[in-house]
Amino acid sequence: MCHIYNELGIICDETGDYRLALAFYQKALEIQRKSSRSNHYSLSTVYNNIGEIQRELGDYFAALSCHQKTLSIKQKILSPHHLSLATTYNNLGLANQSLGEFATALEFYGKSLDIKRKVLSPTHIDLAITYNNMGELQREMGKYAAALKYFEKGLQIRLKTCSPYDSSLAITYNNIGLIHREQGDYNQAIVYFRKSLEIKQKTFTSNHPSLAISYINIGEIHQLLGEFSEAISSYEKALEIQEKAYSINHPDLAITYNNLGVVHQLLGNYPSGLSFYQKALKIRQKSLPSNHPALATSYNNIGHVSQLMGDNNAALEYYQKTKSVQEKCLGPNHPSLAVTFNNLGDIQRTLGNHKRALGLYEKSLEIKKKSLASNHPALSVTYNNIGVVYQTMQKHALALEHYKKALENQQKNFPLDHPEIALSYYNIGTAHQSIKQYSIALENYEKALKIHEKTLSANHPDLAHIYNSTATAYFHMGQYQKALEHEQRAVDISIQSLPPDHPHLQTFKLHLQRIQSELEVK
């Protein structure tokens, strides 16, 4: 009976029904415990299977415990270089990686690889598995060049040994796509993600959780390219699959909620974005260790949307939580830490601490230059922010220099109607306005507005800022009627998209009153 329950568990595992698989494996374990010695090899097999399912279900501590029991049994009855030990070392690496214990994970993957190299041929598929896992770990650690090398080693083995629609090829294509995404090559990334999805659609059932991973990754590329409706569609496909396959506290659900939060935030739907982020955080707090990198992601995103909603105190609190987690679990030059320094700089700039903000932005730029490609899109964010600080400090030449660096970077990476390019045009416009070059400022505002009207909702807060700045330029040029029209549009948008007491709304209303007063005088 133990064998039958175990086989039923394997079948359910392969079809993505993880909860039923776990139930069958637990029945097999109950029978095996009654009929075998505590160090019987078959008992280690059942522990291994339960550990793998627990990891799929997001219960990483339980998974680690099962794999440790498996290792304890195997070490007593097998030689130190037995291939079965390599499998367990690999699974212990996966469990520790899921818990954010990267150094321990790397140690176990190394043990697994040492055994496999001694007993297997150089093109054996098991070597590809370990190369893939080591690549994924290096990716999470922010070491993208090393990760790509491991993934490509695994791909070469799989192409020689697997059928064209083997599910393991889908995993490898997906992982290579992730590296291209991290390196800012979005067009190449989506090619690999679609290769992966095509294989999965021919291999798995329509509700298999692995399909959800592909939909999420494709959605993220659409999001990065500013194609927000396509991004939401992909994320919703993923969520529909995950809600059927997983428990309500599975970490993968948190990923999808988080991504939906990001898109709604980008569209200016801040309350919806905050709601999705809070759902993600609630799941992660229940399912992950307190210093897991995913918790840092949730803290960061809640901080960001709080900042956009004008709550700088809440934003600062969550960014500091983010930094605390990242410094404990990531290296000092990890790209995620660069994002956090950038966000802390944003808050200090908003609070008027310009020198402190500049130092934080420069720290962010330093990390990015060490860990990312020289033309990575993430560099443009920091160039723009440094430009904003220099402009506030009345150093307009330095501000324009950094804004133009950002624009040059973006034009190499994005479609010409991408929202980030609009931001750079807007910033260049504000710099020219600061030195009273109003006609040049208006040219850049018009470029930014043209892009935003194509890509953003009609009441997006970013549009309000452009209308306000355009109104200011017209005001200084003495064209008060045009200034009035644009400032009224800024106020109307802000009433629709911001809380009544938001400082930006109050500022726009004051500008509107000033323009109206000037018109009355005229």
Side-chain angles (χ1 to χ4, degrees), residues 12 41 62 95 130 175 177 278 299 383:
C12 292
Y41 186 81
T130 302
N175 290 340
Q278 288 170 335
Y299 291 139
Y383 284 135

Side-chain angles (χ1 to χ4, degrees), residues 4-73:
I4 294 173
Y5 282 127
N6 196 63
E7 289 298 318
L8 288 169
I10 291 172
I11 292 169
C12 292
D13 183 2
E14 290 175 348
T15 59
D17 193 343
Y18 300 135
R19 281 173 280 190
L20 186 55
L22 180 61
F24 282 126
Y25 286 147
Q26 287 173 333
K27 286 183 179 179
L29 178 62
E30 183 181 350
I31 295 169
Q32 194 70 51
R33 278 174 169 169
K34 292 177 180 178
S35 61
S36 303
R37 302 186 310 276
S38 62
N39 63 347
H40 195 280
Y41 186 81
S42 58
L43 192 60
S44 72
T45 301
V46 182
Y47 277 128
N48 177 78
N49 292 345
I50 292 175
E52 286 297 276
I53 287 295
Q54 294 285 18
R55 186 169 59 82
E56 292 289 353
L57 288 169
D59 192 346
Y60 303 135
F61 287 112
L64 182 61
S65 176
C66 284
H67 290 313
Q68 287 170 336
K69 289 176 181 177
T70 301
L71 179 63
S72 178
I73 294 170

Side-chain angles (χ1 to χ4, degrees), residues 223-444:
Q223 175 186 312
L224 288 166
L225 291 172
E227 299 163 353
F228 300 134
S229 60
E230 291 91 339
I232 289 175
S233 176
S234 290
Y235 292 151
E236 288 177 344
K237 287 178 183 177
L239 188 62
E240 182 181 356
I241 293 171
Q242 291 170 330
E243 287 177 336
K244 293 177 182 177
Y246 296 142
S247 68
I248 59 173
N249 289 321
H250 192 286
D252 283 1
L253 270 172
I255 293 172
T256 310
Y257 283 133
N258 182 78
N259 289 350
L260 282 164
V262 171
V263 179
H264 281 282
Q265 176 185 306
L266 290 170
L267 288 169
N269 302 325
Y270 300 146
S272 296
L274 179 60
S275 176
F276 280 117
Y277 290 151
Q278 288 170 335
K279 286 182 180 180
L281 177 61
K282 185 177 179 180
I283 292 172
R284 286 168 171 168
Q285 286 175 326
K286 290 182 178 179
S287 61
L288 299 173
S290 61
N291 288 327
H292 194 282
L295 272 170
T297 299
S298 284
Y299 291 139
N300 174 77
N301 290 343
I302 292 174
H304 193 193
V305 78
S306 297
Q307 179 184 351
L308 291 169
M309 294 172 75
D311 191 346
N312 290 316
N313 290 329
L316 183 60
E317 176 189 349
Y318 278 101
Y319 287 152
Q320 287 172 336
K321 286 183 178 181
T322 305
K323 181 172 175 284
S324 177
V325 173
Q326 289 174 334
E327 286 179 335
K328 292 176 182 176
C329 65
L330 301 175
N333 292 318
H334 195 283
S336 295
L337 198 56
V339 173
T340 303
F341 279 116
N342 187 85
N343 292 341
L344 285 166
D346 286 346
I347 295 296
Q348 294 297 338
R349 175 165 57 87
T350 302
L351 294 172
N353 302 322
H354 304 308
K355 288 185 178 179
R356 192 177 301 174
L358 184 60
L360 289 162
Y361 288 147
E362 288 174 342
K363 179 64 176 175
S364 174
L365 185 62
E366 177 188 346
I367 294 172
K368 288 178 179 180
K369 285 182 174 180
K370 288 179 180 178
S371 60
L372 301 174
S374 59
N375 286 322
H376 194 284
L379 290 168
S380 65
V381 175
T382 309
Y383 284 135
N384 260 324
N385 288 340
I386 290 174
V388 170
V389 176
Y390 277 129
Q391 186 173 333
T392 305
M393 298 169 72
Q394 304 296 310
K395 297 180 179 181
H396 302 301
L398 285 171
L400 272 171
E401 176 188 335
H402 284 83
Y403 291 153
K404 289 176 180 178
K405 282 183 179 180
L407 180 61
E408 182 181 355
N409 176 286
Q410 291 160 343
Q411 288 173 332
K412 291 177 181 178
N413 288 289
F414 296 136
L416 295 181
D417 59 354
H418 192 280
E420 291 295 320
I421 291 179
L423 173 62
S424 288
Y425 282 131
Y426 173 75
N427 287 341
I428 290 171
T430 62
H432 284 288
Q433 183 160 302
S434 295
I435 53 178
K436 300 182 181 182
Q437 295 176 341
Y438 300 121
S439 59
I440 299 176
L442 282 172
E443 289 175 10
N444 282 280

